[in-house]
Amino acid sequence: MMDQLGERFTGSFTQQEPIPEEGIEAALAVLRHGRLHRYNTAPGEVAEAALLEEEFAALTGAKYCLAVASGGYAMGCALRALEVGPGEPVLTNAFTLAPVPGAIAAAGATPIFVETTADLVIDFADLAEKARRTGARLLMLSHMRGHICDMSALMTLCRTLGLRVIEDCAHTMGAGWEGVASGRHGVMACYSMQTYKHINSGEGGFLISDDAELMARAILLSGSYMLYGKHRAAPPPEVFETVRMVTPNVSGRMDNLRAAILRPQLKVLGDRVARWERLYRHLEAGLQATPGLSLVARPAAEVFVGSSFQFLLPDWSPARIALFLQRAVARGVELKWFGAPEPVAFTSRYDHWRYARPQSLPRTDRILAGLIDLRLPLTFAPEDCDQIARIIRAEALAVGQGPEPEAVAAPAIQ
Ligand SMILES: *Cc1c(COP(=O)(O)O)cnc(C)c1O
């Protein structure tokens, strides 16, 4: 056995679990019959895509559900269903992932970034100020890395401000706030089934809503032609009458192959959430009371999905953080840094999204400068998380309390 300082983690931060056998069998059945397009059904057959939508609607309690090609597509589709106009300001979290401002820009609108609190959620005072200043009517609320703001307070504030809320639940599928599923507060909510999210079909997305007309528009937008009658978790045909000739087709459908892979995963989502919490709590316990390192408190009202973990190194210099990351990576612990000057792999920051008009968010800058992020795939065991915590703790102590280092380059992590 190596001593504690020398131990090295050998697991992979990017290895997800395999698709459940039931999903593999269902996928083979689709491949064998060959009807992959969701509207290509034999007489009396209900497409896998339609069943998937029905099952996700039941899981979240939403009236309607549409499965689409990606989470980013779901967000763009929601914005179009809400008839976002050219150049219209759309408020969103400054701390989010590139597909969020990307979806706003792709819909022809203008992303307006809102400040981030130390708990990594949207700053209500800044939201109110920017909503009033810009006259925005839409908020794309990103529950980035699974951190949910006080949803009751937010919805009250948004009602006062006249804001309609679209929820980006890419990191909160299976999560909740005060007993309500994440995605059930806003007028529409979007989810992703990309490999690193909570259910995996490589690519994929969901859009849910209780609003019949918005959902009819979304279904038409997604490329349903005049075959929307084949949907199950959809509004009745008469709702489509007023919108079917005036809604453009922006193809982004889900197919039966991916739907077949996803349906069995919905059944185990609750179990996955429990397993993720266990991993998260092991890591959290191992990092408790590490000098120089602060953890993000999880509110009691929140059910979260611990598919990733964040901590802060507040007021560390960039050189010190880069050295810390370099030493952690050398010991097999792949950490990502939201303060890196250049965007790396999946990690970029609002000031890297230069198609949006330049905006200054000093509070977010201060948070992101010290924000470290890691993935927790379900292929990890709780003991892996204990070991990762020991390595992070040891390096945070060594680097945090050592002399100010010379500038070093942060490692590039995929
Ligand atoms: C992954 C992700 C999305 C959407 O992703 P797709 O890759 O388009 O499915 C949206 N928001 C956040 C925060 C994400 O991490």
Side-chain angles (χ1 to χ4, degrees):
M1 254 254 340
M2 281 193 266
D3 66 33
Q4 191 167 303
L5 272 176
E7 72 183 326
R8 192 172 188 288
F9 180 66
T10 55
S12 165
F13 284 82
T14 52
Q15 183 58 57
Q16 301 294 74
E17 290 192 298
I19 302 303
E21 281 305 319
E22 194 188 337
I24 296 174
E25 289 302 323
L28 285 174
V30 172
L31 290 172
R32 292 202 170 101
H33 69 52
R35 293 182 295 278
L36 275 71
H37 191 280
R38 64 170 299 164
Y39 301 118
N40 178 204
T41 48
E45 182 186 24
V46 180
E48 291 281 344
L51 292 169
L52 174 70
E53 289 164 345
E54 194 169 52
E55 288 159 4
F56 193 67
L59 191 76
T60 51
K63 270 194 186 159
Y64 311 119
C65 174
L66 172 68
V68 293
S70 73
Y73 182 88
M75 291 188 289
C77 188
L79 289 165
R80 287 191 185 91
L82 282 152
E83 295 177 294
V84 74
E88 180 178 333
V90 175
L91 299 160
T92 194
N93 305 57
F95 173 47
T96 186
L97 213 73
V100 179
I104 297 171
T110 305
I112 306 288
F113 299 113
V114 180
E115 289 273 26
T116 314
T117 71
D119 296 328
L120 306 183
V121 297
I122 198 159
D123 183 304
F124 290 174
D126 195 47
L127 174 65
E129 195 274 316
K130 284 179 176 150
R132 291 196 177 104
R133 182 153 53 76
T134 63
R137 62 181 184 101
L138 297 176
L139 166 64
M140 174 70 78
L141 177 69
S142 186
H143 304 298
M144 177 64 169
R145 291 296 187 259
H147 298 278
I148 302 178
C149 68
D150 180 336
M151 290 304 294
S152 317
L154 177 89
M155 293 315 293
T156 303
L157 177 61
C158 288
R159 269 190 294 278
T160 314
L161 295 167
L163 283 175
R164 301 186 91 181
V165 180
I166 306 167
E167 293 183 71
D168 165 21
C169 301
H171 302 161
T172 56
M173 183 190 286
W177 182 265
E178 287 172 342
V180 177
S182 182
R184 298 292 293 131
H185 293 88
V187 63
M188 301 189 103
C190 311
Y191 303 78
S192 169
M193 288 83 99
Q194 183 249 75
T195 290
Y196 296 116
K197 310 298 163 84
H198 304 163
I199 58 174
N200 170 16
S201 57
E203 305 291 349
F206 281 129
L207 191 53
I208 61 165
S209 182
D210 283 353
D211 186 302
E213 189 179 324
L214 287 179
M215 227 33 207
R217 276 206 207 106
I219 290 168
L220 291 163
L221 281 161
S222 75
S224 56
Y225 304 95
M226 296 300 143
L227 297 164
Y228 46 79
K230 291 197 177 203
H231 284 246
R232 289 162 79 95
E238 57 272 20
V239 183
F240 289 80
E241 283 307 316
T242 51
V243 287
R244 66 187 201 130
M245 312 286 258
V246 292
T247 306
N249 177 322
V250 187
S251 285
R253 289 173 300 272
M254 167 61 62
D255 58 87
N256 288 332
L257 182 58
R258 284 181 295 166
I261 292 171
L262 289 166
R263 289 182 59 212
Q265 295 182 63
L266 285 183
K267 290 192 234 164
V268 295
L269 180 61
D271 172 59
R272 286 184 182 176
V273 173
R275 290 166 61 209
W276 259 313
E277 177 167 12
R278 189 147 180 254
L279 297 180
Y280 186 100
R281 293 297 187 196
H282 271 253
L283 192 53
E284 185 181 51
L287 291 177
Q288 215 62 256
T290 303
L293 180 155
S294 58
L295 298 175
V296 182
R298 307 295 321 216
E302 175 197 45
V303 170
F304 66 92
V305 186
S307 53
S308 71
F309 191 97
Q310 292 72 44
F311 60 87
L312 292 153
L313 300 174
D315 303 319
W316 285 40
S317 71
R320 205 182 279 281
I321 292 180
L323 178 63
F324 163 75
L325 296 174
Q326 205 181 59
R327 291 178 49 148
V329 168
R331 296 180 67 180
V333 175
E334 290 180 12
L335 302 175
K336 286 171 280 172
W337 179 28
F338 278 94
E342 288 293 316
V344 177
F346 291 105
T347 308
S348 60
R349 206 175 45 217
Y350 76 90
D351 54 323
H352 299 140
W353 306 324
R354 297 204 183 134
Y355 50 83
R357 75 167 73 116
Q359 297 166 53
S360 159
L361 294 112
R363 272 171 288 162
T364 298
D365 291 343
R366 188 149 179 270
I367 299 288
L368 297 187
L371 181 61
I372 312 295
D373 178 43
L374 64 149
R375 280 202 179 101
L376 289 180
L378 284 177
T379 48
F380 285 2
E383 301 71 48
D384 292 329
C385 295
D386 297 337
Q387 186 185 33
I388 291 165
R390 284 197 302 275
I391 292 171
I392 293 174
R393 189 183 173 86
E395 293 303 336
L397 286 171
V399 177
Q401 298 177 351
E404 178 63 28
E406 302 276 318
V408 289
I413 298 299
Q414 288 308 302

